[in-house]
Structures are given as C-alpha cells and as structure tokens.
Amino acid sequence: MIVIGLTGGIGSGKSTVSDRFVERGAILIDADQIVRELQQPGASVHSEMVKRFGDGILNSDETLNRQAVAEIVFSDKEYLRELNEIVHPPVNREIRHRIREEADTDNLLVLDIPLLVEGILAGGPPRYIVSGILVVDTPPEIAVQRLVEYRGFVEEDARARIKAQVSREKRLELADFVIDNSVAMSDLDPQVASAIRWAETLPDTEPTPEPFDEG
C-alpha cells in the first residue's frame, strides 16, 4: 500500500485531479466527503456543531447550512479554531481507519486533504502518514474565476477564502510532486500519468496501528 497526500488551495481543481486517479485504479479517501458524512443529522459532529453555534446553522430539514457556518467561522479565527476542534478528531480517526483497511494490499491510496499543508506547518510531522505529498497548483486569479463561475461564490468571498488559507508559495515548498491545473483538460491527463509513475516509486506506507488515541 502506498498513500499519497493530495492537496491544493480552494478552487485549484483537486476533485478533477482525484477523479483522474480513480479512473486509473487508485482508491480515493476524501477528507471533505468524510466530513460531510459525519455532519449528517444524528451524527455526533452535527450535534456538537449545533450545540456550539446554535440552530441558525441549520436548514429547515435539520441539515447544515454550510454557507451559514462559513460566514461564522471565516470571520472569526476563534470560531474557526472551535469548529476544527469539533470536526478534526473524528475525521482523523475515520481516515486512519480507512487506510488501515488497505494495509495488506498493493493499492495506491489518494488521500485528498485540503488542509494537509496547514496541518504540517502547525504541528511539525504530518498528522496523516503519507509517503509523498502531491500539490494541485492553480494561480489565484484562475481559482477565483472558478469559484465564481462554477461554485456560485461572490468574488469578494472567494478572495477572502483564498487569503485565509496557507500561501501558494508555502504549499509548493512542501510539495514532492506538483500538478499544474491551470492548463487545458487535455494537458492534465499526461501530468496525472506522470504523478502515478512517481507515486509507484515511493516506499510503502505504514498505517497508524489501532487503537489510536487522537488526544
């Protein structure tokens, strides 16, 4: 089993790249998807978020209003820290569990973590055990354009979200392999093929043993 960490800034097109990996036989572990699963009504993360931030973050069907959550946490670093304390531990446990399930295979696992670089910078060693870090890179102006055109962001909000993340330069410094996703779609596939060849040269990844105490 080889695990690579896939990351990039908001609007960089990580999902497009991860889809290409899956098409070529890789197994995707998507941190954002796991977050969404754990934030469904009735799940512990959902309950803790409502307890902390109030019923104003809910839609009429009790699902999370993600825009309401974003407006709260991205305007106040303390609220963002509190949200991370609620969300990250159970997400981390689930990610590690899914990695352990593949430990005895020869599979390539793509661990899609938007804030992988932030985690490394905040705590030294990466919180996730990976054999290499792949960064999907896109110039900020292209990312803004994508967020506005395809995800319905207001331009000011898109720029604020990008500014709140770690810098593009710092992300590239920590990359072991970079995919330029500012290119045409036809130019993306050869880069993904090269990334897979790179990943296959990496050492096997050792999973975190169970049980794991997140602290």
Side-chain angles (χ1 to χ4, degrees), residues 1 36 48 70 77 81 94 106 112 116 131 137 145 159 177 181-182 186 189 198-199:
M1 173 189 73
R36 288 190 288 271
E48 288 298 317
K77 289 185 178 180
R81 182 191 65 78
E94 179 61 24
D106 294 326
D112 184 345
L116 176 61
S131 294
D137 181 55
Q145 180 182 352
R159 293 186 183 280
F177 195 99
N181 198 21
S182 65
S186 59
D189 286 334
W198 157 75

Side-chain angles (χ1 to χ4, degrees), residues 39 45-73 83 86:
Q39 288 179 336
V45 171
H46 180 280
S47 301
E48 288 298 317
M49 288 179 63
V50 174
K51 181 179 178 181
R52 176 61 190 88
F53 300 110
D55 292 342
I57 64 170
L58 297 179
N59 296 311
S60 58
D61 61 357
E62 301 297 317
T63 59
L64 288 178
N65 182 325
R66 300 187 184 281
Q67 183 59 35
V69 175
E71 289 174 359
I72 292 172
V73 302
L83 176 64
I86 293 171

Side-chain angles (χ1 to χ4, degrees), residues 1-189:
M1 173 189 73
I2 296 174
V3 184
I4 61 170
L6 173 67
T7 193
I10 186 172
S12 63
K14 295 184 301 301
S15 295
T16 299
V17 172
S18 64
D19 286 346
R20 295 295 196 277
F21 272 92
V22 172
E23 290 170 1
R24 289 161 174 78
I27 293 176
L28 175 65
I29 300 178
D30 186 338
D32 279 348
Q33 179 59 38
I34 292 174
V35 170
R36 288 190 288 271
E37 292 172 9
L38 296 179
Q39 288 179 336
Q40 290 299 310
S44 60
V45 171
H46 180 280
S47 301
E48 288 298 317
M49 288 179 63
V50 174
K51 181 179 178 181
R52 176 61 190 88
F53 300 110
D55 292 342
I57 64 170
L58 297 179
N59 296 311
S60 58
D61 61 357
E62 301 297 317
T63 59
L64 288 178
N65 182 325
R66 300 187 184 281
Q67 183 59 35
V69 175
E71 289 174 359
I72 292 172
V73 302
F74 286 107
S75 62
D76 189 306
K77 289 185 178 180
E78 179 61 22
Y79 285 149
L80 180 58
R81 182 191 65 78
E82 293 177 1
L83 176 64
N84 288 340
E85 288 181 350
I86 293 171
V87 173
H88 285 177
V91 172
N92 291 343
R93 287 192 292 271
E94 179 61 24
I95 286 173
R96 291 175 184 270
H97 171 70
R98 295 187 187 190
I99 290 174
R100 283 194 294 270
E101 290 184 325
E102 301 294 331
D104 296 327
T105 73
D106 294 326
N107 292 328
L108 171 62
L109 275 61
V110 176
L111 186 52
D112 184 345
I113 309 178
L115 300 181
L116 176 61
V117 169
E118 284 85 340
I120 295 172
L121 294 175
R127 298 175 69 182
Y128 302 93
I129 299 175
V130 296
S131 294
I133 296 174
L134 188 155
V135 168
V136 180
D137 181 55
T138 305
E141 289 303 316
I142 293 179
V144 169
Q145 180 182 352
R146 289 174 177 168
L147 291 172
V148 171
E149 289 186 7
Y150 302 118
R151 294 177 57 178
F153 277 70
V154 175
E155 181 176 341
E156 182 180 0
D157 186 29
R159 293 186 183 280
R161 294 285 291 273
I162 291 172
K163 186 177 180 180
Q165 294 186 329
V166 71
S167 71
R168 179 189 185 193
E169 292 74 20
K170 183 60 67 175
R171 197 178 289 115
L172 291 173
E173 282 180 18
L174 294 178
D176 297 312
F177 195 99
V178 177
I179 286 181
D180 176 8
N181 198 21
S182 65
V183 299
M185 296 294 284
S186 59
D187 295 324
L188 183 61
D189 286 334

